[in-house]
Amino acid sequence: MDDSIKSAIFIDDRIPSLFSNDKDEEEICKPLYESFQSKSCSLDFFRFDKESWKSKEKLIFHRKDLLILDWELNESPDLPYESTLEIINTAVSTDNLHFVCIYSLEGNEIDRIFYKILAYYSGNSEGKDKELIDNLKEILEFNNIDSGKFLEKISSIIKEKTLKIETKKIGEKLKKTFEDECGDKRLYGIFRKFLSENSNKMKYCDELDKLGFTLNSRNDGLIY
């Protein structure tokens, strides 16, 4: 373990409460605690619930170097991962807390988790994005294109670009999709110009990424 990590906090909604007789159903607390102790690092546990978190968040992160966070905190299906992302945001805003480790019981979730975190910090706002999509639909439908089906197709391509999967080929894929579905190469240029005029530039995502976050929001449970 890195010498800069001397104190850690583990947050999960399924671990036993402190001083309770609850069973550790995931059987994770004891081996994790022993592992940290073997490296001369203290580890505290916090069983998450929204009410207690709000009142204790500053105390919980006090003098902690590392946060270990369960990605699947118990959430409303309408706003999945809301609390998880809020905790991450608090963590990155805490001066003394330099490391965050996210774990998922579902496995092989790196891309999905990374995409949600990028969306959370993208600066998207629901009202502005709805207006952007509505305007884009008007352009597509003016050119006799089924906007729903078309936007569904390009959303997966944009997601690949955001996650850096074959980035060099993304432009070619988008152009080909426009040509195949629209029958007009010029519409791709109009599309890019429209996005550039209606979106703000950011360090970690551009106007195309932001459109992808909005288009994928329902399927991926993204929140801003």
Side-chain angles (χ1 to χ4, degrees):
M1 187 173 294
D2 195 302
D3 289 339
S4 60
I5 300 175
K6 296 297 182 183
S7 180
I9 180 70
F10 177 84
I11 299 178
D12 194 326
D13 61 329
R14 296 184 181 90
I15 58 176
S17 300
L18 189 64
F19 306 123
S20 74
N21 293 319
D22 297 339
K23 184 180 179 181
D24 181 8
E25 295 181 359
E26 296 179 9
E27 298 183 346
I28 193 172
C29 294
K30 187 174 184 292
L32 190 63
Y33 179 80
E34 291 174 347
S35 174
F36 273 72
Q37 285 290 298
S38 69
K39 301 295 183 180
S40 301
C41 180
S42 66
L43 176 64
D44 293 332
F45 296 87
F46 177 72
R47 180 169 181 166
F48 175 81
D49 70 78
K50 269 193 172 183
E51 187 174 341
S52 60
W53 163 253
K54 288 296 183 183
S55 62
K56 298 177 181 178
E57 59 182 66
K58 289 185 179 179
L59 178 63
I60 289 169
F61 285 161
H62 182 59
R63 294 187 177 180
K64 294 295 186 291
D65 306 305
L66 167 68
L67 163 65
I68 305 171
L69 179 63
D70 175 23
W71 179 249
E72 292 92 10
L73 294 176
N74 188 19
E75 293 283 4
S76 161
D78 295 330
L79 288 173
Y81 314 108
E82 179 184 30
S83 293
T84 307
L85 291 164
E86 287 177 356
I87 291 172
I88 292 171
N89 192 50
T90 301
V92 299
S93 303
T94 302
D95 291 340
N96 58 272
L97 206 162
H98 305 297
F99 305 96
V100 176
C101 175
I102 300 168
Y103 78 94
S104 169
L105 294 176
E106 295 184 14
N108 198 27
E109 292 287 282
I110 293 176
D111 285 347
R112 190 169 67 91
I113 292 171
F114 182 51
Y115 194 72
K116 285 181 171 62
I117 293 173
L118 284 176
Y120 182 75
Y121 285 103
S122 69
N124 276 14
S125 61
E126 186 176 351
K128 184 178 179 180
D129 294 331
K130 185 179 184 302
E131 183 181 353
L132 174 64
I133 296 298
D134 288 344
N135 290 338
L136 185 54
K137 284 180 177 179
E138 285 185 16
I139 292 176
L140 293 168
E141 289 169 4
F142 178 78
N143 287 275
N144 299 315
I145 300 163
D146 185 325
S147 60
K149 290 182 179 179
F150 183 76
L151 291 175
E152 185 177 350
K153 282 190 175 184
I154 67 170
S155 65
S156 61
I157 299 175
I158 297 171
K159 187 173 183 179
E160 288 181 17
K161 178 259 182 190
T162 304
L163 293 173
K164 313 301 182 189
I165 302 171
E166 296 184 345
T167 307
K168 294 180 180 179
K169 298 181 180 179
I170 296 302
E172 296 174 11
K173 282 187 178 182
L174 281 173
K175 285 181 181 179
K176 189 174 188 309
T177 302
F178 269 86
E179 185 176 351
D180 292 346
E181 298 295 323
C182 308
D184 189 341
K185 294 181 180 180
R186 294 174 301 171
L187 276 179
Y188 178 69
I190 295 171
F191 167 74
R192 289 307 303 255
K193 183 180 179 182
F194 173 80
L195 287 181
S196 181
E197 291 173 349
N198 286 273
S199 299
N200 295 321
K201 296 285 186 180
M202 290 165 291
K203 292 180 180 178
Y204 39 80
C205 61
D206 61 20
E207 68 276 2
L208 194 57
D209 295 315
K210 286 191 69 176
L211 176 64
F213 294 142
T214 304
L215 293 175
N216 286 296
S217 60
R218 290 187 179 180
N219 293 333
D220 289 349
L222 305 181
I223 61 171
Y224 317 116

